[in-house]
Amino acid sequence: MTNRRNLVIGMAALPLATLVAGALGPVLAQTATALDGDTLTTSDGDVVIHPVSHASLLLGWKDQVIYVDPVGGAAPYEGLPKPTAILITHGHGDHFDVPTLEAIAGSAPIVTSQEVFDKLPEALKANATALANGDKGTLVDTPVTAIPAHNTTADRMQYHPVGVGNGYLLTFGDKIVYVAGDTEPTPEMLALKNIAVAFLPMNLPYTMTVEQAAEAVNTFKPAVVYPYHYKGSDVEAFKTAVGPDTEVRLREWYPPGA
């Protein structure tokens, strides 16, 4: 039985490295035990933003390390803090991989869609909770809202149907981070307000075109946007098309060999 609407999940304490001050500060030097990346200053401590590859990333805040769509086995996560929670947007293999979860999850709680929940082995399912589009929950001090993530163009609907995948809003202090998952611009995305950081996909035929992504950003105006899930797309053209209200952060989501 899944638990919806009132999600409260405990996380084990895990110390993070001292973070650099600043709204989105300089990149930290990497060590074997610390989480490195850009920093987002909030009213309740800094969030570290650590890209991994394609659609996989880590968000570190206080004693939490949230893994988003971890795939690729254990190797990409060697030397990184272990997850205190895991978010999974949907069931495609570049977002959801059971062997990776079995290798890295330990006892970390997993928040995901019903589609993914139903595919989890029993050992992982015991720590998992399914959220439907619109459901709200809390990961200790981190409010989470699942919002629709799906295609809107008729000939792409086969890839991400309505009601299956989630994007996530995570609230850290006074700042909201939006991880879009695989989606085109939806009414819910375009209606977003006060987003500090957004992660938006752009690659065909599965998600948005560069033009769709830029138009969406220029509509809901996040303070900072990271293109991700963009293999084969012209992110420089995206950066040029985004208006002055949003800073575009281009980072290395496709390390050599990825």
Side-chain angles (χ1 to χ4, degrees):
M1 179 72 67
T2 60
N3 174 27
R4 291 183 174 173
R5 302 294 179 190
N6 188 23
L7 169 68
V8 180
I9 298 177
M11 293 183 175
L14 179 64
L16 292 176
T18 302
L19 306 180
V20 173
L24 273 165
V27 174
L28 301 178
Q30 184 165 358
T31 71
T33 58
L35 186 63
D36 71 327
D38 296 340
T39 59
L40 166 67
T41 293
T42 83
S43 61
D44 194 17
D46 290 340
V47 177
V48 177
I49 298 165
H50 181 93
V52 177
S53 179
H54 187 58
S56 303
L57 64 135
L58 275 61
L59 297 170
W61 183 51
K62 300 194 294 187
D63 60 355
Q64 304 176 30
V65 181
I66 300 171
Y67 281 45
V68 181
D69 286 348
V71 298
Y77 307 95
E78 291 177 359
L80 295 172
K82 293 180 180 180
T84 57
I86 297 170
L87 291 178
I88 303 170
T89 59
H90 66 291
H92 287 176
D94 54 340
H95 299 257
F96 167 57
D97 179 61
V98 168
T100 300
L101 294 173
E102 291 176 330
I104 68 172
S107 60
I110 298 168
V111 175
T112 188
S113 64
Q114 187 67 51
E115 171 205 29
V116 170
F117 182 90
D118 292 342
K119 294 177 180 178
L120 290 171
E122 291 304 316
L124 292 172
K125 190 176 288 186
N127 293 324
T129 301
L131 294 182
N133 294 168
D135 282 358
K136 298 178 184 293
T138 303
L139 292 172
V140 184
D141 296 327
T142 307
V144 179
T145 301
I147 67 170
H150 58 81
N151 288 106
T152 58
T153 303
D155 62 358
R156 300 181 209 162
M157 294 297 292
Q158 59 185 307
Y159 301 117
H160 303 99
V162 174
V164 176
N166 288 333
Y168 294 104
L169 299 177
L170 300 103
T171 301
F172 301 99
D174 61 344
K175 300 294 172 60
I176 301 173
V177 173
Y178 171 46
V179 181
D182 277 9
T183 188
E184 291 182 75
T186 64
E188 293 83 359
M189 176 196 292
L190 299 177
L192 291 173
K193 305 288 185 185
N194 302 316
I195 302 298
V197 174
F199 297 88
L200 289 190
M202 54 196 76
N203 68 327
L204 291 178
Y206 305 105
T207 65
M208 292 184 269
T209 65
V210 165
E211 294 76 16
Q212 280 180 303
E215 184 176 353
V217 167
N218 291 337
T219 299
F220 74 89
K221 295 181 173 61
V224 174
V225 64
Y226 288 80
Y228 83 146
H229 198 294
Y230 62 75
K231 193 169 187 177
S233 297
D234 187 347
V235 291
E236 291 291 347
F238 169 76
K239 185 175 183 178
T240 298
V242 168
D245 295 309
T246 301
E247 178 185 358
V248 178
R249 288 287 178 107
L250 303 182
R251 294 293 180 258
E252 181 54 82
W253 294 90
Y254 298 96

